């Protein structure tokens, strides 16, 4: 085990928000304090969010209200990525049907497009982003426009979003409703596409970023797509079980309980003769079963279980959960 904090290997942290920094309006315990510590280690910070319901300035103000370090330019949103995609593919002045927030409409205006709210306004393209007050009527307008030949861009396709009361439907669930009505597929601008992560790193001038998120299908897949180091935290959507079962493209490099573990040495995970060790835990695989010697509540047990399973199944196109057997004693 290296004696240096994990974060010292990187020059920036590109952090997700929902499920990492906060759930709903409230900060996750210890998250703000962890973010405040980054500057003392000389590590820059940017926030990469798929939530397109608020402007980067509003998000930054919310973060500052929680006590987290945040300037407006540190927030990189899927609404910005969606607007950039529109600018790349459509002429300036094109009419864009907004299926989402006023903040999304503002980003569309900033790239020279004309936001509209009705399919009867002759929209060339529909852009759809998360907005908690979105109604059936607005989803129907999107469907009408798409059926009439408009192109379709989704800021993101997260199926769920963590809230203070639990896990709620995300933009992906609303996109799925329009998909079911039209039979069409949108272009996706935000995570898990790599462009959002590259944009964040470029803003910071970062060459060694660490992507931190709570979702395998957006944060970790996107960071991996961007060829960056990735760390999943267990404070949001994904769990130790879903991380273990992850398909190859969504497997993180690091498994952390919370952001606070960025400032601890990351334990070595070693393998020999099919037995993988981490801390006091060991794991091996036989006949599709992962046998683990260690405490189920110890994240080191899951780290070595992941190493063993991923070594046994290196090319998984779909998520696959192994049978788990827990017992005491050493596997050696």
């Amino acid at each position: 085990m290296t004696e240096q904090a994990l974060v010292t290997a990187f020059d920036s942290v590109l952090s997700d928000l929902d499920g990492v920094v906060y759930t709903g309006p409230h900060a996750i315990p210890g998250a703000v304090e962890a973010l405040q510590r980054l500057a003392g280690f000389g590590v820059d910070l940017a926030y990469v969010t798929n939530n397109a319901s608020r402007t980067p300035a509003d998000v930054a103000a919310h973060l500052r209200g929680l006590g987290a370090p945040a300037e407006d330019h540190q927030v990189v949103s899927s609404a910005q990525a969606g607007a950039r995609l529109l600018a790349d593919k459509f002429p300036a002045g094109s009419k864009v049907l907004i299926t989402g927030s006023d903040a999304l409409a503002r980003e569309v205006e900033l790239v020279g497009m004309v936001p509209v709210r009705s399919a009867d306004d002759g929209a060339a393209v529909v852009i759809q982003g998360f907005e908690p007050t979105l109604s059936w009527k607005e989803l129907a307008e999107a469907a009408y426009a798409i059926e009439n030949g408009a192109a379709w861009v989704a800021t993101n396709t997260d199926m769920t979003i963590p809230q203070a009361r639990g896990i709620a439907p995300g933009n992906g669930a609303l996109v799925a409703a329009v998909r079911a009505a039209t039979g069409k597929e949108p272009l996706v601008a935000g995570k898990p596409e790599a462009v959002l992560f590259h944009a964040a790193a470029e803003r910071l001038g970062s060459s060694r970023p660490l992507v931190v998120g709570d979702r395998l299908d957006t944060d970790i897949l996107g960071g991996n797509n961007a060829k960056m180091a990735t760390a999943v935290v267990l404070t949001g959507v994904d769990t130790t079980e879903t991380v273990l079962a992850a398909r190859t493209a969504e497997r993180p490099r690091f498994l952390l309980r919370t952001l606070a573990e960025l400032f601890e040495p990351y334990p070595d995970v070693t393998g020999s003769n099919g037995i993988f060790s981490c801390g006091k835990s060991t794991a091996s695989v036989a006949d599709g079963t992962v046998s683990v010697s260690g405490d189920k509540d110890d994240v080191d047990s899951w780290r070595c279980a992941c190493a063993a399973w991923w070594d046994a199944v290196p090319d998984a196109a779909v998520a696959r959960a192994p049978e788990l057997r827990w017992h005491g004693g050493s596997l050696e």
Side-chain angles (χ1 to χ4, degrees):
M1 176 189 297
T2 177
E3 294 304 316
Q4 290 189 317
L6 171 62
V7 77
T8 60
F10 304 97
D11 64 3
S12 73
V13 166
L14 309 183
S15 177
D16 181 46
L17 290 173
D18 294 296
V20 177
V21 182
Y22 49 63
T23 51
H26 305 297
I28 290 170
V32 168
E33 292 79 5
L35 295 171
Q36 291 171 338
R37 294 183 65 187
L38 289 172
F41 283 77
V43 175
D44 290 328
L45 172 63
Y47 302 98
V48 182
T49 177
N50 259 357
N51 190 329
S53 64
R54 295 183 293 173
T55 67
D58 288 339
V59 173
H62 177 206
L63 287 164
R64 290 193 296 270
L66 297 175
E71 300 296 332
D72 294 359
H73 75 275
Q74 290 176 276
V75 179
V76 186
S77 75
S78 64
Q80 292 173 321
R84 178 64 65 90
L85 183 59
L86 293 178
D88 289 344
K89 291 187 173 293
F90 298 90
S94 296
K95 291 182 178 180
V96 179
L97 178 66
I98 307 298
T99 307
S101 67
D102 290 340
L104 178 58
R106 177 57 179 156
E107 295 295 342
V108 169
E109 284 182 322
L110 288 173
V111 297
M113 304 294 177
V114 179
V116 298
R117 290 286 185 173
S118 171
D120 295 332
D121 290 332
V125 58
V126 174
I127 188 167
Q128 183 172 357
F130 182 71
E131 165 52 51
T133 64
L134 207 65
S135 69
W136 174 90
K137 180 180 180 299
E138 290 162 303
L139 295 177
E141 289 296 322
Y144 300 150
I146 294 165
E147 288 174 358
N148 287 333
W152 183 21
V153 170
T155 61
N156 66 295
T157 52
D158 303 48
M159 294 303 292
T160 59
I161 184 170
Q163 297 289 287
R165 296 172 59 194
I167 302 298
N171 195 53
L174 303 176
V175 166
V178 178
R179 180 189 293 116
T182 64
K184 302 292 179 61
E185 288 290 334
L187 294 173
V188 180
K191 297 181 280 187
E193 300 306 314
V195 63
L196 209 56
F197 298 96
H198 289 310
E202 287 169 9
R203 285 193 193 184
L204 299 177
S206 172
S207 60
R208 291 178 289 109
L210 173 66
V211 173
V212 181
D214 70 306
R215 298 184 65 103
L216 300 177
D217 61 344
T218 55
D219 305 317
I220 304 308
L221 177 58
N224 289 344
N225 284 340
K227 309 300 182 186
M228 297 175 180
T230 54
V232 67
V233 291
L234 303 174
T235 51
V237 170
D238 275 297
T239 66
T240 48
E241 288 84 357
T242 60
V243 173
L244 176 65
R247 64 191 184 98
T248 304
E250 297 179 358
R251 291 171 179 174
R253 181 171 170 185
F254 304 106
L255 173 59
L256 308 176
R257 283 168 291 208
T258 68
L259 284 177
E261 290 192 349
L262 289 172
F263 305 97
E264 299 176 8
Y266 195 81
D268 293 330
V269 182
T270 60
S272 178
N273 298 321
I275 297 175
F276 290 80
S277 303
C278 183
K280 297 179 180 179
S281 302
T282 55
S284 63
V285 177
D287 299 323
T289 297
V290 179
S291 297
V292 186
S293 172
D295 188 335
K296 190 181 295 187
D297 294 327
D298 183 353
V299 72
D300 283 347
S301 297
W302 293 96
R303 288 166 175 154
C304 64
C306 287
W309 179 241
W310 297 349
D311 179 72
V313 186
D315 300 310
V318 297
R320 179 183 170 190
E323 182 180 347
L324 278 167
R325 292 180 182 170
W326 297 87
H327 54 84
S330 172
L331 297 176
E332 298 184 89

